[in-house]
Amino acid sequence: MGYKLRKGDHVELLKPDPNYGSNSSCTVAYYLATVLRPPALQKNLVFVEYHHHQQQEDTDDDIELIMVKGYVDLKIVRPAPPPQLHQCFKVGDDVDVYFDKHKLWRRAIVEDVLEYSKYKLTFIINNSQQQQHDHVHVVDHWNLRLHRDWTDDGSWVPPLDLFQQKNQLPNTQMKKPPKNLKLKITLRNTSMSMIPAPPEASAFKIGQLVEVSSDEEGFKGAWFLAKVIHCKPNANFLIEYLTLKTDDESQPLREEIHIDYIRPLPPQLPPPPCYHRLQLVDALYNDGWWVGMISKILKHSRYIVYFHTSNEEMEFQHSNLRPHQDWIAGKWKIASKLYQKVVCCAWKQLKWLCFEKHALSEPKSTAIKKLKIVINKEAPKAEFHEGMKVEVKSDEPGYEDSWYSALIAESIGKGKYLVEYLTLKTDDGSKLLVEEAKASDIRPYPPNIRRPYSYTLLEMVDVWYNDGWWVGQIGRVLSRQRYSVYFKKTCEELEFDHSHLRPHIEWFDGKWSPASWA
């Protein structure tokens, strides 16, 4: 085994895969199991609990899943690999696919990378002569992990990276706390001993994994993975980079860094199925995470990312991006709105400068004509006409951030309209409600956007509730078809089915635009 089993350990059993009939004796799957009793007298057996697949009577197809307890041979037991939340996959990768219905992992090969974090796979079937590939399947990213084999000396092949080693501590390295521990306390007659250490001194521990930034030209806006080696005076730390090396590349680079340029590792958020335009992200580039903004969405899960520190744009795969988070006052927060406005302004300025440079390179008369068009151009205003279907915003207390379907009855001047609601009625319920509304509270009826895949944590949505669409944010994903949604204005959190949600989009400058995460 290479490590010691303890009660409650999560392990995997290598057993025949019931999905392949006659081939199942050679094709194995990885069953989830829990150790109930570690090996004792019979050291080659361990008592575990796992799901067993039993063929139902009177049918050849359906398999019944039952929970069983029993002894299994240690030769078919291995530890459960650590989570791989940010693992990227490419064509040809050897992976495992999780099937919740059967509570097991099956081995497969990545055949193609699809949109919306999906992959096309073929499953591997072993027979006595060679490996064969089964028919093609399409699966979601979160159901995949890199395939690894557990060796007799207690290691993984291919080996784990530093993140995964942190998440999995072998039992052989776990020490029991000493019994009958006695403390010897010495009191010194000095006031200095009563003064607590400054908060900086205990901010990061030796050996802790952190991210480090720099003000050096060419490296602004980037965060690099490092390890704390030693605590220095004046809130400085000696750190060792995990991805950067010395000039001769003989050893990892070490530097003394002030605490202001160090932060803990950000929490691993589940990757969204797609990023939105103007959303802040971190892009993996040159061995570090660089803060940028999605400026354009391309095909095949690719994006153009703008970096405001260098005024550059580059193309990235979806798998090389992560949602941007800020470390503020000792807490992680999703991309601050103030910082996002700064980046957006810088990006718009870059676009204007690029246009100006292009325009001035043309003949003078043409350049002046183009510049006049841009300077005099105003944001298009929505024109509402009688009978037009629209949505009207409510500003009444308790109804903020809600939109209701209506028809324009007539224009009454001074930027105001009479609207007839399609879902709201008068107090006596006899007819549809008609009231006056400002043009600033009216927008065209949004396009019908279907969302076949699941919403993700912290994603902005509109929820159908009390005869209107309410703006909210996914607070918890309860299942793939049910969510807990948080409403900021009312500080409420309610549960809704997938069918009661729609992607949140905003009417801005005469166009519909996807909303960035809050």
Side-chain angles (χ1 to χ4, degrees):
M1 280 292 297
Y3 76 110
K4 186 177 180 181
L5 288 173
R6 298 182 184 276
K7 181 179 179 180
D9 281 353
H10 296 293
V11 295
E12 292 182 351
L13 309 181
L14 279 66
K15 295 173 63 66
D17 192 335
N19 196 51
Y20 293 103
S22 59
N23 288 325
S24 64
S25 59
C26 297
T27 302
V28 298
Y30 302 93
Y31 292 70
L32 306 184
T34 304
V35 176
L36 300 181
R37 192 180 306 151
L41 297 178
Q42 298 177 333
K43 295 184 178 180
N44 61 328
L45 297 177
V46 58
F47 194 64
V48 299
E49 180 180 49
Y50 66 99
H51 288 89
H52 175 69
H53 299 81
Q54 178 175 298
Q55 192 76 36
Q56 293 185 359
E57 297 181 0
D58 303 328
T59 178
D60 294 331
D61 299 324
D62 295 335
I63 296 177
E64 183 181 7
L65 194 65
I66 60 174
M67 182 68 75
V68 298
K69 300 177 182 179
Y71 285 97
V72 296
D73 196 322
L74 276 176
K75 294 180 180 179
I76 68 167
V77 180
R78 73 174 195 178
Q84 305 172 22
L85 295 180
H86 290 313
Q87 178 71 50
C88 303
F89 304 105
K90 59 183 183 298
V91 175
D93 275 353
D94 193 354
V95 297
D96 295 331
V97 186
Y98 181 66
F99 288 85
D100 186 61
K101 179 180 179 181
H102 297 149
K103 306 298 181 185
L104 54 76
W105 294 84
R106 291 190 175 103
R107 190 175 176 185
I109 297 293
V110 176
E111 297 290 344
D112 194 10
V113 180
L114 309 178
E115 293 183 321
Y116 308 121
S117 298
K118 293 182 181 292
Y119 296 84
K120 184 183 293 185
L121 312 171
T122 56
F123 291 97
I124 296 177
I125 305 175
N126 293 324
N127 57 31
S128 56
Q129 285 79 29
Q130 59 183 358
Q131 288 187 347
Q132 296 178 345
H133 288 190
D134 194 9
H135 52 282
V136 175
H137 297 258
V138 175
V139 299
D140 294 306
H141 180 276
W142 55 78
N143 286 332
L144 295 181
R145 70 184 184 192
L146 191 66
H147 176 77
R148 285 186 168 90
D149 293 312
W150 180 254
T151 62
D152 293 335
D153 60 357
S155 61
W156 291 101
V157 178
L160 301 176
D161 57 30
L162 289 172
F163 288 114
Q164 295 160 337
Q165 290 177 18
K166 180 186 175 187
N167 291 330
Q168 183 179 31
L169 295 175
N171 290 325
T172 53
Q173 298 180 5
M174 297 176 63
K175 297 182 179 180
K176 294 183 178 180
K179 297 181 179 179
N180 302 323
L181 180 65
K182 295 182 179 180
L183 299 177
K184 183 178 180 180
I185 302 175
T186 303
L187 297 177
R188 297 181 180 180
N189 189 17
T190 171
S191 59
M192 290 300 294
S193 63
M194 304 300 292
I195 300 176
E200 296 89 354
S202 58
F204 302 105
K205 299 179 180 179
I206 295 177
Q208 180 178 348
L209 292 178
V210 294
E211 287 188 342
V212 179
S213 67
S214 173
D215 271 342
E216 185 178 346
E217 194 64 33
F219 290 92
K220 292 181 180 179
W223 291 89
F224 297 91
L225 182 63
K227 180 172 61 175
V228 176
I229 301 299
H230 188 63
C231 300
K232 296 281 188 175
N234 301 321
N236 289 329
F237 292 84
L238 178 64
I239 59 97
E240 180 180 274
Y241 292 98
L242 302 186
T243 57
L244 302 180
K245 293 187 177 182
T246 54
D247 292 337
D248 58 3
E249 296 191 351
S250 60
Q251 57 187 353
L253 177 63
R254 288 191 176 190
E255 284 186 332
E256 188 172 317
I257 303 293
H258 192 268
I259 190 174
D260 291 343
Y261 298 96
I262 306 175
R263 69 182 187 183
L265 290 182
Q268 293 182 332
L269 298 178
C274 62
Y275 291 98
H276 307 301
R277 186 172 177 268
L278 304 185
Q279 180 177 344
L280 288 182
V281 294
D282 296 339
L284 185 59
Y285 177 68
N286 276 357
D287 301 318
W289 290 100
W290 298 70
V291 182
M293 182 190 73
I294 303 292
S295 60
K296 188 175 182 180
I297 301 174
L298 308 177
K299 295 181 179 179
H300 308 301
S301 298
R302 300 188 70 87
Y303 304 85
I304 299 295
V305 179
Y306 166 71
F307 302 99
H308 80 284
T309 55
S310 59
N311 269 353
E312 292 180 306
E313 287 185 316
M314 297 181 63
E315 184 176 326
F316 289 90
Q317 279 277 11
H318 183 280
S319 56
N320 287 335
L321 302 178
R322 71 181 184 186
H324 177 69
Q325 302 176 78
D326 292 317
W327 178 250
I328 302 175
K331 295 182 180 180
W332 285 105
K333 296 184 179 180
I334 298 295
S336 67
K337 293 182 178 179
L338 177 61
Y339 182 66
Q340 183 157 349
K341 288 181 179 178
V342 171
V343 177
C344 285
C345 289
W347 175 70
K348 290 178 181 178
Q349 185 179 11
L350 171 69
K351 289 301 179 186
W352 168 252
L353 291 174
C354 290
F355 168 79
E356 190 178 35
K357 181 180 179 181
H358 174 72
L360 294 177
S361 65
E362 297 182 355
K364 187 174 180 180
S365 58
T366 307
I368 294 175
K369 182 178 180 181
K370 283 194 174 183
L371 288 174
K372 283 184 177 179
I373 292 174
V374 174
I375 293 172
N376 296 329
K377 185 177 180 182
E378 296 180 355
K381 297 181 180 179
E383 296 182 359
F384 305 115
H385 53 81
E386 185 177 340
M388 181 178 178
K389 189 175 182 180
V390 295
E391 284 190 342
V392 183
K393 181 175 66 174
S394 175
D395 287 330
E396 292 185 25
Y399 290 87
E400 299 95 336
D401 275 351
S402 61
W403 293 85
Y404 297 88
S405 303
L407 295 176
I408 298 293
E410 64 174 301
S411 173
I412 57 178
K414 296 183 179 181
K416 294 183 180 181
Y417 296 85
L418 280 182
V419 297
E420 182 182 50
Y421 291 98
L422 301 180
T423 58
L424 301 180
K425 293 187 177 182
T426 55
D427 293 337
D428 59 4
S430 60
K431 55 183 179 179
L432 294 174
L433 177 63
V434 177
E435 68 176 11
E436 183 181 299
K438 299 178 182 177
S440 58
D441 292 334
I442 305 175
R443 67 183 185 184
Y445 196 80
N448 183 20
I449 303 176
R450 295 184 178 182
R451 181 64 176 263
Y453 50 91
S454 302
Y455 293 95
T456 55
L457 186 66
L458 302 182
E459 186 173 355
M460 299 299 296
V461 294
D462 293 341
V463 181
W464 181 254
Y465 178 64
N466 278 354
D467 300 320
W469 290 101
W470 297 65
V471 180
Q473 189 176 29
I474 301 295
R476 287 179 296 160
V477 180
L478 306 177
S479 68
R480 294 189 182 179
Q481 296 298 323
R482 193 162 179 81
Y483 310 87
S484 178
V485 180
Y486 173 71
F487 301 98
K488 184 178 180 180
K489 294 291 185 180
T490 59
C491 295
E492 291 181 301
E493 191 165 346
L494 302 173
E495 294 183 9
F496 295 92
D497 289 327
H498 184 94
S499 58
H500 290 170
L501 306 183
R502 71 181 184 188
H504 178 67
I505 55 177
E506 295 176 351
W507 180 252
F508 182 73
D509 281 348
K511 296 179 181 179
W512 287 107
S513 301
S516 299
W517 288 11

